[in-house]
Amino acid sequence: MAEGLRERKKRETKQRISDIATGLFLEHGFVTVTVADVADAADVSVNTVYNYFPAKEDLFLDRMEGVTLRLSRMIRGRDRGESAAHAVLREMRGQIGAVSPAYGLMDGFDAFMNVIEHAPTLKARLFYLQQQVHDAVVATLREETGAAEGDPLPLLVGGQIAWIENTAVGYITREMTAGRKATAVSRETLVLLDEIEELLSEKVLTYAVRG
């Protein structure tokens, strides 16, 4: 019980530091605010901040670990008789149709992206995260299909599956930062997903069908 209490307090402290940092970044900009500023506002030491967040960018993008593995989870959770691509399309349609904040369909997303737009290191981190998404999808497809190391199909199909999400997220980001309503952007993105599916080859749409 004592160990559980310590872990809970650690999670609460980490969340509080992250929330305070995000508020400062949104108000003053990522470049202007220092880790020392965050520590002072959170009433902790700079070392404590670094214990929870190895880099300053982690303070603002602290929830991105779940994003990098999101497509892999969709693929692993596909239904019997369902391919990897169809599982991803189904899950994305469900979340985007529900106007999920997980895909940026929320008030304040434009302010969040504005911080990133004016911080080169955050933009670089996002590009790196996109590569992590791609690599995770390829590794998952290779594992799920038992493909040999030299088989190019997991790489080729994985790239197109990652492209599905990347294209939809790019559209949502552009429209939400233009001040559009989340419900309207959600409807339009669902149409976009239909068009994306039409562009995918049968080989991609039938790859990694769960038996």
Side-chain angles (χ1 to χ4, degrees):
M1 184 178 295
E3 184 176 1
L5 178 62
R6 285 197 299 271
E7 290 304 313
R8 180 174 63 80
K9 287 185 175 181
K10 286 181 180 179
R11 287 194 299 274
E12 290 174 349
T13 299
K14 181 177 181 180
Q15 188 62 58
R16 185 170 65 85
I17 293 171
S18 173
D19 291 344
I20 290 172
T22 298
L24 290 173
F25 294 145
L26 288 171
E27 184 176 356
H28 303 290
F30 183 80
V31 176
T32 303
V33 177
T34 66
V35 174
D37 292 332
V38 174
D40 184 60
D43 196 24
V44 297
S45 70
V46 171
N47 284 340
T48 297
V49 175
Y50 279 120
N51 283 340
Y52 288 104
F53 304 94
K56 182 182 173 183
E57 290 73 23
D58 297 321
L59 283 162
F60 194 66
L61 301 173
D62 61 307
R63 296 173 179 83
M64 285 299 174
E65 182 178 352
V67 173
T68 59
L69 298 176
R70 181 164 57 194
L71 292 183
S72 291
R73 288 196 298 269
M74 292 177 184
I75 293 169
R76 293 185 190 280
R78 66 196 185 283
D79 295 332
R80 182 170 183 153
E82 186 175 45
S83 70
H86 277 135
V88 167
L89 287 164
R90 172 176 55 78
E91 289 279 357
M92 287 186 63
R93 282 175 174 131
Q95 293 190 44
I96 291 170
V99 196
S100 171
Y103 277 96
L105 294 163
M106 60 182 179
D107 293 336
F109 186 67
D110 55 338
F112 179 85
M113 291 307 300
N114 185 60
V115 173
I116 295 174
E117 182 62 30
H118 292 88
T121 59
L122 286 176
K123 292 173 78 173
R125 175 65 70 88
L126 279 185
F127 282 121
Y128 174 67
L129 289 170
Q130 288 174 0
Q131 185 60 50
Q132 285 187 305
V133 170
H134 173 270
D135 293 346
V137 169
V138 173
T140 299
L141 289 176
R142 197 172 294 282
E143 181 181 335
E144 289 288 300
T145 62
E149 188 63 33
D151 187 347
L153 274 180
L155 178 65
L156 298 174
V157 175
Q160 294 191 58
I161 289 177
W163 168 75
I164 296 172
E165 184 179 63
N166 192 44
T167 301
V169 169
Y171 180 81
I172 290 170
T173 299
R174 184 171 64 253
E175 297 303 308
M176 291 298 294
T177 52
R180 301 281 311 284
K181 293 291 186 182
T183 50
V185 176
S186 167
R187 290 193 299 270
E188 293 169 7
T189 308
L190 290 176
V191 174
L192 180 67
L193 286 174
D194 290 342
E195 294 173 349
I196 287 173
E197 183 173 2
E198 290 179 4
L199 290 174
L200 296 173
S201 71
E202 191 68 16
K203 197 163 191 176
V204 172
L205 291 172
T206 57
Y207 188 74
V209 173
R210 168 152 286 159

